Amino acid sequence: MKNRREFLKIAGLAGAGMVVGQGQAQPADPFPYVHKQQFNMHGYAAPKLDRVRMGFIGVGSRGSGTVRRMANIEGVEIKAVCDLIPGNVKKVIEDIKGAHNPDAYSGSEDIWKEVCDRDDIDLIYIATPWDLHAPISIRSMERDKHVYTELPLATTVEECWQVVETSERTRKHCFMGSGSCHDGMSAVALNMVRQGFFGDLIHGEGNYVHDRVSDPSRWERDEDNWYSYRPWRLKENVGRNGNLYPQHGLGPVAQMMDLNYGDKMDYLVSVSSADFTMGPTLKEVAKKDSYFEPFVGLPFRGNINTTIIRTHLGRTIMLQHDISTPRPGSRFQLISGTKGIFDARARQAALSEEWLSDEEFKSLLEKFKPQISKTFEEKVKAVGGISGSRSYERVTAMDWRLIDCLRNGLPLEMDVYDGALWSVVTPLSEWSVAHQGGTVRVPDFTAGAWKTNKRGMDISLEQGGTTNLVRPKG
Ligand SMILES: NC(=O)c1ccc[n+]([C@@H]2O[C@H](COP(=O)([O-])OP(=O)(O)OC[C@H]3O[C@@H](n4cnc5c(N)ncnc54)[C@H](O)[C@@H]3O)[C@@H](O)[C@H]2O)c1
């Protein structure tokens, strides 16, 4: 009798659950946009390029390193280097002189347009402040060039759509360089996911945690070393509240979950803490350096933002963004499924309640190292190791594979839909934070093609892999 009562109780709850399910509120859709796919850029292979002639726009901290990295890849020819600051251009050109002899562009806000308008460039690289990424990408594609942009692809929902539409109309690639996708640990985890090691995926986590505030030396301005808060980056943190930099943490998880080719994001919610450190720090640093005085008392964004995404197949993704509290850095965090979990930061995996031993984990890393990582390692070995004193200067698997795909006429590992999806999280999270964690719909940039698109990111290196690395002269 007791069993029957228990059963009826449970059955009653299930019934109630169904009623709640049917009456569920729809996510808000504050950025409606009518889009008809003109051409599917997913899986698109542009005509082969034997040489990849590059123009660089923005050669500050990241961009100057990228010039040096790309100079280490076979087939790359550096034709133009552009930056608002003439000294930045001069320094970079000096570094690669002999191996490459690019033209210099500098001195005005829109001189970058002249680089886009040249007719002897195949690929434009962009590492300017964020608000220029979409305008430069759009002009470049319209002028018949592929694009390799730093994060983000765009800063607003509307701009994401414009970049997608331009790529479809011009059939030019727009690649957003989220290097975490090719990092050793995430490439291994992706391979494990694809081999079914974790069963059906349920949940993933990724972060951009990078303390840029606590260390006082980061606020000391000097021409060469003021890498922490250039004015544009500091300003991005005023009046905008959300996850401002989701791509590094999200990219690997999105690829593991086949987002845009098998699953898609349905909706997200986002909540930010208050600001406990930026305002007080600005007050302190302004006492020593009057440059910071205008920033005192401004509304800085909350220190820690947490965004939760739900996918169409019912998976969840948690993203955190924090650049202003003292905690160790983190990007791709974890992936979990019906059979187990992989925690990249803890460097651990489990198939039950117990973590595997360090030995077992290490052997998994070896066993599941994908071919793309193995081939890249061989290429590095063949030139006697990677050169470059800063990490930004050391060529990565992502750079190498991008050029390799262009030279072999292969689809790129990340396409314009990935860049748009991973970037649109920012404006959507801002909306959600402003609405006390309101639920917001995520646009489907593939316009339904996610249901039939073939899986992206060829980690088995079924095609290509033929491009070598070179050592720059000098
Ligand atoms: N993928 C990564 O791991 C990674 C790492 C660091 C930075 N980034 C990204 O790289 C980009 C640049 O960041 P950064 O740290 O190098 O900043 P930065 O301030 O050092 O460099 C930006 C450069 O753009 C130049 N610039 C500004 N306006 C310009 C214009 N109108 N025309 C031409 N040049 C102009 C500036 O003079 C500066 O040299 C950002 O999008 C950032 O998010 C990516």
Side-chain angles (χ1 to χ4, degrees):
M1 202 47 194
K2 183 167 178 268
N3 279 351
R4 188 176 148 71
R5 263 204 316 270
E6 284 300 310
F7 171 77
L8 287 176
K9 235 186 335 188
I10 293 164
L13 283 177
M18 276 171 65
V19 172
V20 170
Q22 281 163 6
Q24 260 170 3
Q26 290 299 309
D29 194 6
F31 308 100
Y33 194 90
V34 180
H35 168 79
K36 192 169 173 310
Q37 191 174 70
Q38 300 172 54
F39 178 79
N40 190 353
M41 286 302 288
H42 181 79
Y44 171 68
K48 277 183 190 190
L49 294 168
D50 186 34
R51 289 177 303 153
V52 181
R53 298 167 300 174
M54 290 189 70
F56 289 78
I57 301 175
V59 287
S61 168
R62 178 71 179 169
S64 60
T66 310
V67 173
R68 290 168 192 130
R69 297 201 313 277
M70 300 314 273
N72 288 14
I73 304 174
E74 180 188 23
V76 168
E77 207 178 297
I78 299 173
K79 304 290 284 184
V81 176
C82 168
D83 197 288
L84 207 49
I85 301 170
N88 287 359
V89 174
K90 204 167 152 228
K91 224 184 295 172
V92 163
I93 291 184
E94 195 57 37
D95 273 358
I96 55 170
K97 206 166 70 186
H100 300 264
N101 298 298
D103 297 322
Y105 292 80
S106 192
S108 82
E109 286 280 347
D110 56 5
I111 195 144
W112 56 267
K113 292 181 181 164
E114 292 183 23
V115 182
C116 302
D117 293 354
R118 280 175 67 142
D119 57 10
D120 60 349
I121 288 178
D122 306 298
L123 177 65
I124 296 279
Y125 168 83
I126 307 163
T128 58
W130 298 339
D131 57 353
L132 279 170
H133 292 191
I136 300 177
S137 298
I138 290 169
R139 191 176 180 105
S140 302
M141 290 186 279
E142 278 171 346
R143 301 296 192 275
D144 208 28
K145 284 151 191 81
H146 300 302
V147 171
Y148 169 7
T149 179
E150 280 301 338
L151 332 171
L153 182 92
T155 56
T156 65
V157 181
E158 170 101 13
E159 266 187 354
C160 286
W161 278 115
Q162 286 168 0
V163 175
V164 165
E165 289 182 345
T166 310
S167 178
E168 290 180 351
R169 179 165 37 81
T170 59
R171 299 192 187 189
K172 287 289 154 188
H173 291 299
C174 188
F175 175 91
M176 188 186 68
S178 187
S180 320
C181 295
H182 290 75
D183 278 356
M185 199 72 97
S186 26
V188 171
L190 179 59
N191 198 18
M192 292 171 82
V193 166
R194 290 188 176 180
Q195 312 277 333
F197 195 82
F198 305 112
D200 291 331
L201 294 188
I202 302 169
H203 177 75
E205 295 179 14
N207 305 324
Y208 186 74
V209 176
H210 186 167
D211 179 11
R212 289 165 175 268
V213 169
S214 307
D215 177 357
S217 71
R218 290 198 165 226
W219 297 93
E220 284 163 20
R221 293 184 303 123
D222 75 59
E223 205 190 324
D224 292 325
N225 193 32
W226 192 39
Y227 59 93
S228 182
Y229 267 118
R230 290 175 180 75
W232 70 268
R233 208 147 184 167
L234 183 55
K235 281 179 196 152
E236 290 287 356
N237 289 280
V238 180
R240 298 184 70 195
N241 207 357
N243 185 329
L244 301 193
Y245 215 53
Q247 297 85 357
H248 279 311
L250 172 59
V253 175
Q255 290 183 325
M256 290 171 207
M257 292 189 177
D258 289 334
L259 297 184
N260 285 340
Y261 31 86
D263 197 359
K264 74 174 184 82
M265 292 185 193
D266 269 357
Y267 58 85
L268 67 76
V269 297
S270 187
V271 175
S272 288
S273 72
D275 168 46
F276 293 86
T277 65
M278 299 277 279
T281 303
L282 261 301
K283 237 189 225 168
E284 283 312 303
V285 296
K287 287 180 192 160
K288 294 185 199 130
D289 180 348
S290 63
Y291 170 84
F292 292 112
E293 277 170 11
F295 290 95
V296 175
L298 294 183
F300 283 97
R301 71 187 184 84
N303 297 126
I304 301 186
N305 173 270
T306 305
T307 298
I308 301 173
I309 298 162
R310 166 113 173 173
T311 78
H312 196 71
L313 296 184
R315 295 152 171 168
T316 50
I317 303 171
M318 187 179 88
L319 305 173
Q320 285 204 318
H321 185 212
D322 172 12
I323 46 103
S324 53
T325 74
R327 58 195 270 218
S330 128
R331 292 183 175 197
F332 162 54
Q333 173 77 42
L334 67 79
I335 194 80
S336 79
T338 50
K339 290 188 185 164
I341 183 168
F342 184 102
D343 188 327
R345 194 167 56 168
R347 295 182 67 81
Q348 282 182 319
L351 296 169
S352 67
E353 258 190 310
E354 301 290 323
W355 292 112
L356 298 177
S357 69
D358 289 351
E359 282 310 302
E360 285 167 321
F361 183 69
K362 240 163 111 184
S363 78
L364 280 182
L365 292 184
E366 254 335 287
K367 180 173 170 205
F368 286 96
K369 186 185 286 183
Q371 191 56 45
I372 193 168
S373 308
K374 289 182 193 161
T375 304
F376 179 64
E377 281 174 13
E378 283 159 19
K379 304 283 180 189
V380 169
K381 218 164 141 194
V383 290
I386 292 179
S387 61
S389 50
R390 289 187 311 150
S391 66
Y392 287 178
E393 295 170 15
R394 294 182 215 127
V395 67
T396 63
M398 181 191 72
D399 306 315
W400 163 75
R401 184 61 175 154
L402 167 65
I403 298 300
D404 186 58
C405 288
L406 290 172
R407 294 182 76 226
N408 283 292
L410 299 173
L412 303 189
E413 309 287 16
M414 277 101 80
D415 57 38
V416 70
Y417 307 113
D418 298 322
L421 182 66
W422 305 352
S423 299
V424 83
V425 166
T426 297
L428 298 183
S429 70
E430 286 180 75
W431 185 91
S432 181
V433 168
H435 292 80
Q436 298 188 329
T439 313
V440 56
R441 191 179 76 83
V442 181
D444 170 19
F445 292 104
T446 74
W450 64 272
K451 292 177 203 155
T452 48
N453 280 343
K454 286 211 186 94
R455 182 172 260 174
M457 187 91 175
D458 173 19
I459 49 174
S460 315
L461 220 58
E462 275 161 23
Q463 299 185 74
T466 53
T467 300
N468 293 317
L469 301 182
V470 288
R471 272 202 173 280
K473 288 181 192 138

